[in-house]
Amino acid sequence: MFTKFWQNHNIATGILTVLRIWLGYHWLTAGWGKITGDFASGGYLQNAASLATGDHPAVAGWWAAFLDGFAIPNAALFDILIPYGEFLVGLGLLLGALTRSAAFFGLVMNMAFLLSGTVSTNPTMLIVSVLILVAGYNAGKIGIDGLFLRKFVETKVMHRSPNRQIA
């Protein structure tokens, strides 16, 4: 019942549109701030790796090993991936274009930030991303996804033979 509401109901479409735009705005502004500013991920990554020690570590050992073994040596790559990833996720969510893909990649980034010991708004953003993924098509219905699918479906339905059976 919960899933059906989010996937099919018009009220859910409106709620999802507001949540999607809110989430997209946060991603877009975060990414733009990093693109236009002096963003460097090296210090953040080293700090996150250092949080894996002590009696109550904030970062799991396996994640710290990933940071030490891959992320920190490739910080220049993350200096590009993070800002542009955030910006593109935000743009996709704001426009309702590739909505589910944008929500998925936003969720991946939120999980990476959470695993690195940063809480901030990440749990809230993660929950909204999951809701968008559960809602599926309905989350992008008011947006470019909805326009594209309506045009595509209308074209296919109008050209379908009346005697043709659908499998």
Side-chain angles (χ1 to χ4, degrees):
M1 183 166 158
F2 174 82
T3 305
K4 285 184 182 182
F5 170 78
W6 290 109
Q7 291 177 344
N8 300 312
H9 206 282
N10 287 336
I11 292 173
T13 304
I15 295 168
L16 287 162
T17 301
V18 170
L19 291 172
R20 191 191 80 222
I21 290 170
W22 171 83
L23 186 60
Y25 173 79
H26 282 284
W27 278 119
L28 187 89
T29 56
W32 185 250
K34 289 176 180 77
I35 290 168
T36 59
D38 293 330
F39 176 73
S41 63
Y44 173 80
L45 295 170
Q46 289 174 347
N47 181 58
S50 73
L51 297 175
T53 60
D55 292 336
H56 303 286
V59 173
W62 65 270
W63 186 255
F66 164 76
L67 294 175
D68 285 331
F70 181 76
I72 293 170
N74 295 296
L77 174 65
F78 286 92
D79 291 347
I80 296 167
L81 290 178
I82 293 170
Y84 286 98
E86 289 178 350
F87 183 81
L88 291 173
V89 164
L91 190 63
L93 290 170
L94 276 173
L95 298 175
L98 300 172
T99 305
R100 289 173 284 180
S101 297
F104 172 77
F105 286 109
L107 185 139
V108 169
M109 285 191 291
N110 279 134
M111 283 304 300
F113 300 152
L114 284 167
L115 288 168
S116 297
T118 302
V119 179
S120 184
T121 59
N122 289 307
T124 306
M125 294 171 75
L126 186 121
I127 290 167
V128 172
S129 295
V130 168
L131 186 59
I132 289 170
L133 288 173
V134 166
Y137 163 74
N138 208 22
K141 197 173 185 179
I142 300 174
I144 291 175
D145 289 345
L147 291 172
F148 176 76
L149 289 173
R150 279 192 296 279
K151 177 70 175 162
F152 179 73
V153 170
E154 287 174 9
T155 303
K156 289 291 185 188
V157 170
M158 290 172 61
H159 293 95
R160 190 173 292 149
S161 168
N163 296 328
R164 184 175 164 199
Q165 292 192 356
I166 300 171

